[in-house]
Amino acid sequence: MSRALLALALLTLSIAACAAPTPDALVKNTAEEVLALVRSDPEIAAGNSSRVYAIVEEKVLGHFDFQRMTRLAVGKHWRQASEPQRQALTDNFRTLLVRTYAVALAQFRDRAVEYRPLDDAPTGDEVMVHTLVATPQGKPINMDYRMAREGEDWKVYDVLVDGVSLVVNYRSQFDATVAGKGIDGLVAMLAEKNAAAQGGAQ
């Protein structure tokens, strides 16, 4: 093989190795890596919740579109929010979701997860990835991820648990808060929830 052909072959392999994974592979690879870390960490086994947060921050957060999740959860009120308010909403909702995810991860770390392959290769910019989480009762929980393409990557923007959307579930609560206290009231409510959760974890 000539040097030129060898260089071309190596370049092709390099590009293939660096290619972004499919949405279902991304969910599986990320979940399995995180679960393996959580299951093997002695500090987590001893009840150190900060270790779970650290793992979530490092391994999971880059695969979520928190601004889109916040915008969907805030709904129609997002249009009336200023840019600083939008950032505050996103930051606080992100913190709330991270803590919720970390607590669930610690509780479900020993559960088996079945990852369903996509029916077809994604041809558009959105897709749903389906998983099943085993339960002691025998009936698995459907955990589905709505994902959208961002450039070469796929990001999660909603999670459905047995068909119930996370962002829709929060929307009614956010609607009521904005109706009574405005956007700043919603920011304050989220900040209070996060502060209470942080105090309870200490």
Side-chain angles (χ1 to χ4, degrees):
M1 179 183 291
S2 70
R3 290 183 180 180
L5 289 176
L6 177 60
L8 180 60
L10 291 174
L11 177 61
T12 304
L13 287 173
S14 175
I15 293 173
C18 295
T22 59
D24 53 333
L26 177 64
V27 168
K28 180 178 181 179
N29 295 343
T30 303
E32 288 298 295
E33 181 181 10
V34 170
L35 286 171
L37 289 170
V38 170
R39 288 164 181 162
S40 62
D41 193 303
E43 292 187 44
I44 293 175
N48 185 349
S49 58
S50 63
R51 282 291 302 141
V52 186
Y53 300 145
I55 290 172
V56 171
E57 287 274 355
E58 180 184 356
K59 301 294 184 180
V60 178
L61 297 196
H63 302 303
F64 279 75
D65 185 346
F66 287 104
Q67 184 175 70
R68 183 171 181 176
M69 294 178 81
T70 306
R71 175 168 54 83
L72 291 172
V74 174
K76 61 184 179 182
H77 307 294
W78 185 259
R79 293 192 298 274
Q80 72 189 63
S82 66
E83 202 55 45
Q85 287 175 323
R86 289 179 177 180
Q87 190 60 55
L89 286 168
T90 301
D91 291 344
N92 280 284
F93 193 43
R94 173 185 181 277
T95 299
L96 178 66
L97 292 176
V98 168
R99 291 190 174 277
T100 302
Y101 184 88
V103 169
L105 186 61
Q107 292 176 342
F108 287 87
R109 65 180 182 271
D110 295 323
R111 304 285 179 83
V113 181
E114 178 184 343
Y115 305 93
R116 298 294 184 87
L118 296 177
D119 295 332
D120 298 294
T123 55
D125 291 330
E126 299 205 5
V127 72
M128 181 90 81
V129 176
H130 303 279
T131 70
L132 292 172
V133 181
T135 68
Q137 293 76 25
K139 183 180 180 181
I141 298 171
N142 290 286
M143 189 83 71
D144 303 323
Y145 300 85
R146 283 193 174 123
M147 305 181 72
R149 193 195 305 269
E150 292 188 7
E152 296 299 318
D153 300 321
W154 289 90
K155 298 288 183 74
V156 176
Y157 68 90
D158 194 10
V159 180
L160 286 74
V161 180
D162 279 340
V164 178
S165 161
L166 177 74
V167 295
V168 172
N169 194 47
Y170 276 108
R171 189 178 299 158
S172 59
Q173 179 183 358
F174 288 2
D175 271 341
T177 301
V178 174
K181 301 179 180 179
I183 295 292
D184 286 336
L186 177 56
V187 172
M189 183 269 285
L190 290 170
E192 288 169 7
K193 280 182 175 289
N194 291 328
Q198 183 177 10
Q202 292 175 350

